[in-house]
Amino acid sequence: TSGILAGSTNLTMSTGSTISRSAGSMTWTASSYKYNVTYTGSSAISTGPELSSNTAIVNSSTTNTVTLGGTQTLDSLNLTAGTFAAGTILTMTNSGSSAISVSGGLMTGTVQTSNNYDVIYTGTGQNSGAELTGTGISDIVVNLTSGTITLTSAFTISGNLTLTAGTLAAGS
């Protein structure tokens, strides 16, 4: 999880496999299979070629920031802790199943997409973040174990708002 992984050929990951990265850097061309990338640890990290239209799982300490290292199109993003700094270079795929799931942490930046994607809130209460900045929001699901999702900005959805558990509140 630290140091440099470099290669002059493609790294092939099977569908469903996981790359877990907490430090270091990677320089290779990743395969086109759908694998998971998990960012962990307590140090700031910038994404690399391991993140290639796959599922990003940001599970960092509450003081850690994972910064999107280049223009990226993701199928899904699961934010469980820490900060995911998307800047203005994140797009969601048009796969019909794209989603940003937030159970903790914070996403900053602006989602640059009109492709449909869902936003799913689980865990405990929190403020909404950049996950609601894209113009392609289809459905929003709120299914909290406790607490309130406080909306911090205006947004438009084209699908359904499903409130299963918890509270959804407009910000001030």
Side-chain angles (χ1 to χ4, degrees), residues 37-41 55-64 66 77-84 100-107 120-126 131:
V37 181
T38 301
Y39 296 97
T40 62
T55 298
I57 301 169
V58 179
N59 183 14
S60 303
S61 75
T62 57
T63 59
N64 184 26
V66 175
L77 171 65
N78 300 321
L79 181 58
T80 61
T83 300
F84 182 72
I100 298 175
S101 299
V102 182
S103 62
L106 173 68
M107 182 175 166
I120 302 162
Y121 293 104
T122 59
T124 59
Q126 60 214 359
E131 65 275 3

Side-chain angles (χ1 to χ4, degrees), residues 118-139:
D118 298 335
V119 177
I120 302 162
Y121 293 104
T122 59
T124 59
Q126 60 214 359
N127 289 334
S128 66
E131 65 275 3
L132 295 179
T133 59
T135 59
I137 301 170
S138 181
D139 297 334

Side-chain angles (χ1 to χ4, degrees), residues 16-124:
S17 297
T18 299
I19 293 175
S20 181
R21 185 170 162 214
S22 63
S25 63
M26 300 178 175
T27 56
W28 83 86
T29 303
S31 64
S32 60
Y33 294 103
K34 296 294 181 188
Y35 55 87
N36 300 319
V37 181
T38 301
Y39 296 97
T40 62
S42 58
S43 299
I45 193 168
S46 182
T47 66
E50 72 278 0
L51 195 58
S52 174
S53 297
N54 291 290
T55 298
I57 301 169
V58 179
N59 183 14
S60 303
S61 75
T62 57
T63 59
N64 184 26
T65 298
V66 175
T67 302
L68 199 55
T71 301
Q72 192 60 247
T73 301
L74 296 178
D75 189 49
S76 60
L77 171 65
N78 300 321
L79 181 58
T80 61
T83 300
F84 182 72
T88 58
I89 53 178
L90 173 65
T91 301
M92 301 303 291
T93 64
N94 196 17
S95 68
S97 64
S98 289
I100 298 175
S101 299
V102 182
S103 62
L106 173 68
M107 182 175 166
T108 63
T110 305
V111 179
Q112 303 292 312
T113 191
S114 60
N115 294 338
N116 287 341
Y117 69 97
D118 298 335
V119 177
I120 302 162
Y121 293 104
T122 59
T124 59

